[in-house]
Amino acid sequence: MATVGPMTEAMYYILLTLMVPSHGYQLMSAVTQASHGRVQMGPGTLYGVLTRLETDELIEIVNDDGRRKTYAITESGRAALRMETARLHAMLDDQEQWKGELKWLKD
Amino acid sequence: MVEGLEHGQTREWIAVDIYDIECFESWLSDMAEKGCFLEEMGRHLAYFKKGTPRQIRYRIDVLSRKLTEDELALYDACGWHCVTSQKETYLVSTKVRLYIFETDENSTVPELHTDPMDQAESLRQLHQRCIIQTWLGIVFLPLYVGYIMYRMFFGDPTRRFDAIVNGGNYLFYILMILTATIQECIRWCSIRRLRRSLAMGDTMDHHTDYRRARFRYRIIESWRLIFTIFWVAVIISMIVQSDVKNLLPEEQLDFPAVRLQELAELTDMQDLELWEGEQSHEWTGTGVVKDHVYESGFVESGGINLTTNCYHLPFAWESEVVMEGLIAKKETPSYRATPIHTTMVDEAYILETVHAEPHRDTQCQTLLVRQDRYVIEVTYRHGSEDLVLILPLLAERMNTAAQLN
């Protein structure tokens, strides 16, 4: 498994939505829904990210009937998602703490 | 433009390298504005359908696998229609597919790639292939040239002989590898520049000015076309100029040689009855011209034959190498070369069988003579006459030929 650094938005949302196995079209809709319409993913970005996540073994194909592939997150993918979520939380916490420091200085 | 085979279809030389993605997309958009819409693409030609000019967005998607029908349907559902695809294969490892998609310029569909950093990642494999291909060329080309130089200047005499007489294809391979390496290097730079720009968060400029890229690409493609045409012309010329035909006893030769009849006169050979004769002319890709004549006859003791190979070389230094190579090829423990001390020509050797009592069937003499850019090999079989006796006449003809050419 490749070492996963900070994820792009597309990677994060795809991993998140693949907690429920989906194929391409479902995935695109799920990402839009999960991001409350904020992330509109182009098909090029979608398949590019899917290919890379599959190569890094963060996702796997659970069904392939020749026409349609269904993807799902792997255990490695879940671990990577947890790490990324923790990183994002840590950044938010740092921001809150820093805002607190600034407020104290002003006072 | 040249009119294509199908009604309403036209074809054009591809103006820009597809690896120069921004420029290629820009070129296709400009073609659409002229009423030419891409339908298919070959290596060098693109086929367009003529129609009403309009503005079209073209996008190239680089993938490491073939898209399924379902996946293509998703692109279509998102507003991106697949025009064509091109599979790229490389010397090392996997294939890459370049898909060309189109949509109307004024449509509100989202871009094919909505995240520049992810798009930069999608170009990683293409980038790596370009790097590998470039380095393979950079490493292999000097090794190959070094190998050829070694064969021509330091290898054993027979290999040096082969390199000079038969080495025309080496030049072709060197030029081909050099051109491919230069193109891969240009592609590498192009993809690297694009990836860096995307990784910084910049989006692609799909209407970039492609004139420089077009000029560069045309130089390379024109060069490749010219030297391919040249080499085909060389091969055709070699075939056309190379011929084998019967030789009549009274027929004159247009290269220096001594005929069997003349050998008979010089050596007081009795009752020679000439049989068959054959001559051939061959022009090699290295500029070496090889003339060959074979004559056979009958004397009282039996059949005899005389074979002459005349090498006319483009450079005088090559004649030394060819001479050395011929000696190395011909000489064996029982067939030894002895230098002939003479001022008539630059160099001469006689090779004779060294058996104590040579049998007529194994009797063979070879005279090797070098003068200026000519090397002549004369082989006389089954006769006991001294072949060296033809040297003065042969030397006179070689000197005349050397002065004329």
Side-chain angles (χ1 to χ4, degrees):
Chain A
M1 188 197 80
T3 306
V4 182
M7 290 184 190
T8 62
E9 213 171 38
M11 285 172 70
Y12 181 81
Y13 278 102
I14 286 173
L15 279 177
L16 184 66
T17 50
L18 280 178
M19 300 285 268
V20 175
S22 312
H23 57 75
Y25 196 79
Q26 286 174 329
L27 202 49
M28 204 173 255
S29 306
V31 166
T32 306
Q33 206 173 351
S35 63
H36 303 287
R38 190 174 58 78
V39 177
Q40 296 284 338
M41 196 176 293
T45 299
L46 174 69
Y47 286 114
V49 172
L50 283 175
T51 303
R52 284 204 308 284
L53 291 175
E54 193 186 351
T55 305
D56 291 343
E57 295 175 5
L58 301 181
I59 65 173
E60 61 184 352
I61 296 173
V62 293
N63 187 38
D64 184 356
D65 60 9
R67 281 189 63 245
R68 181 172 288 183
K69 294 179 185 178
T70 304
Y71 298 89
I73 193 168
T74 62
E75 274 310 310
S76 305
R78 288 174 199 271
L81 192 59
R82 279 194 293 271
M83 278 175 58
E84 180 67 9
T85 307
R87 189 182 73 87
L88 292 170
H89 277 307
M91 285 167 66
L92 281 173
D93 289 343
D94 290 342
Q95 187 205 34
E96 287 303 318
Q97 191 178 7
W98 191 246
K99 273 163 65 178
E101 300 270 332
L102 284 175
K103 195 179 174 195
W104 183 80
L105 281 171
K106 280 178 186 173
D107 293 342
Chain B
M1 287 185 204
V2 178
E3 286 301 314
L5 296 171
E6 291 183 28
H7 177 67
Q9 195 181 54
T10 185
R11 63 177 177 232
E12 273 224 28
W13 292 103
I14 293 171
V16 178
D17 192 357
I18 195 170
Y19 281 61
D20 212 330
I21 294 173
E22 287 176 308
C23 293
F24 196 85
E25 290 172 353
S26 183
W27 173 62
L28 289 179
S29 294
D30 281 0
M31 291 298 288
E33 285 183 19
K34 294 175 190 171
C36 296
F37 305 98
L38 182 70
E39 280 200 323
E40 272 180 71
M41 242 180 61
R43 276 289 151 198
H44 303 289
L45 290 169
Y47 295 83
F48 295 86
K49 187 175 178 180
K50 296 276 282 178
T52 308
R54 62 181 193 273
Q55 291 180 317
I56 301 284
R57 275 193 274 169
Y58 285 96
R59 299 292 181 263
I60 294 170
D61 203 5
V62 180
L63 292 152
S64 58
R65 58 180 179 84
K66 191 177 175 182
L67 290 171
T68 62
E69 276 183 31
D70 187 51
E71 288 165 342
L72 285 170
L74 177 58
Y75 278 84
D76 225 47
C78 292
W80 290 97
H81 166 67
C82 180
V83 178
T84 185
S85 69
Q86 188 166 296
K87 189 168 75 174
E88 300 287 303
T89 51
Y90 301 93
L91 293 170
V92 178
S93 196
T94 58
K95 305 171 190 66
V96 170
R97 275 191 178 266
L98 303 168
Y99 282 88
I100 301 175
F101 293 93
E102 66 170 18
T103 191
D104 197 84
E105 181 74 49
N106 300 316
S107 70
T108 55
V109 302
E111 272 297 332
L112 198 72
H113 280 274
T114 45
D115 190 320
M117 282 180 272
D118 276 317
Q119 192 175 9
E121 268 306 299
S122 75
L123 296 174
R124 176 188 289 271
Q125 203 168 40
L126 195 67
H127 188 199
Q128 283 173 347
R129 293 297 163 266
C130 290
I131 292 172
I132 291 169
Q133 298 275 112
T134 302
W135 278 108
L136 278 175
I138 289 172
V139 168
F140 181 71
L141 187 61
L143 287 176
Y144 187 64
V145 170
Y147 167 71
I148 303 302
M149 290 293 113
Y150 174 78
R151 279 186 74 139
M152 288 184 80
F153 295 104
F154 304 106
D156 76 55
T158 54
R159 287 187 177 177
R160 292 175 70 195
F161 172 88
D162 285 336
I164 284 172
V165 176
N166 303 315
N169 48 340
Y170 296 150
L171 185 59
F172 176 76
Y173 294 144
I174 288 169
L175 290 174
M176 201 174 69
I177 296 167
L178 180 64
T179 307
T181 304
I182 291 171
Q183 185 166 51
E184 289 302 323
C185 188
I186 293 171
R187 286 175 167 180
W188 173 16
C189 294
S190 177
I191 298 287
R192 184 180 63 169
R193 182 180 38 79
L194 180 60
R195 283 195 73 214
R196 279 184 178 173
S197 165
L198 290 167
M200 300 279 285
D202 297 331
T203 52
M204 283 173 62
D205 180 1
H206 305 285
H207 294 283
T208 192
D209 185 355
Y210 55 85
R211 281 176 296 180
R212 268 179 80 180
R214 181 173 57 188
F215 177 73
R216 205 168 45 225
Y217 189 64
R218 279 183 176 168
I219 294 283
I220 292 175
E221 289 298 304
S222 300
W223 162 246
R224 205 200 294 265
L225 188 65
I226 287 168
F227 95 73
T228 302
I229 290 173
F230 171 75
W231 219 257
V232 168
V234 163
I235 292 168
I236 291 172
S237 181
M238 282 165 62
I239 293 167
V240 165
Q241 292 196 50
S242 302
D243 62 345
V244 180
K245 57 183 182 182
N246 289 331
L247 175 67
L248 298 172
E250 63 275 13
E251 202 169 327
Q252 296 291 319
L253 297 173
D254 55 6
F255 62 93
V258 173
R259 307 288 297 273
L260 184 56
Q261 181 65 48
E262 290 170 319
L263 169 65
E265 287 165 9
L266 285 167
T267 57
D268 290 327
M269 197 189 297
Q270 302 296 322
D271 301 322
L272 171 66
E273 184 187 325
L274 290 170
W275 280 351
E276 57 181 358
E278 174 188 281
Q279 67 168 338
S280 68
H281 174 83
E282 190 183 321
W283 184 68
T284 70
T286 55
V288 177
V289 176
K290 183 182 166 188
D291 285 292
H292 164 85
V293 66
Y294 169 84
E295 292 180 287
S296 65
F298 190 83
V299 291
E300 195 179 321
S301 56
I304 56 172
N305 62 67
L306 188 72
T307 307
T308 303
N309 289 321
C310 172
Y311 299 90
H312 184 193
L313 300 137
F315 303 104
W317 66 265
E318 290 179 323
S319 66
E320 292 182 39
V321 177
V322 168
M323 185 72 166
E324 204 181 333
L326 283 170
I327 293 170
K329 277 176 179 279
K330 296 280 176 191
E331 198 173 33
T332 64
S334 59
Y335 197 58
R336 305 304 295 275
T338 308
I340 300 170
H341 300 290
T342 176
T343 54
M344 288 186 282
V345 290
D346 291 337
E347 198 177 6
Y349 278 81
I350 182 74
L351 287 94
E352 294 170 298
T353 319
V354 296
H355 289 310
E357 292 182 13
H359 190 270
R360 188 184 181 281
D361 287 344
T362 58
Q363 258 181 335
C364 182
Q365 298 171 71
T366 300
L367 181 64
L368 296 173
V369 184
R370 178 174 72 83
Q371 176 64 15
D372 193 41
R373 290 180 295 143
Y374 284 91
V375 176
I376 291 186
E377 172 197 354
V378 184
T379 304
Y380 179 46
R381 288 190 175 83
H382 311 308
S384 56
E385 293 76 12
D386 188 359
L387 188 60
V388 179
L389 292 173
I390 71 167
L391 182 58
L393 181 57
L394 187 59
E396 183 190 327
R397 290 179 178 169
M398 288 176 80
N399 282 313
T400 303
Q403 280 165 18
L404 288 173
N405 294 305

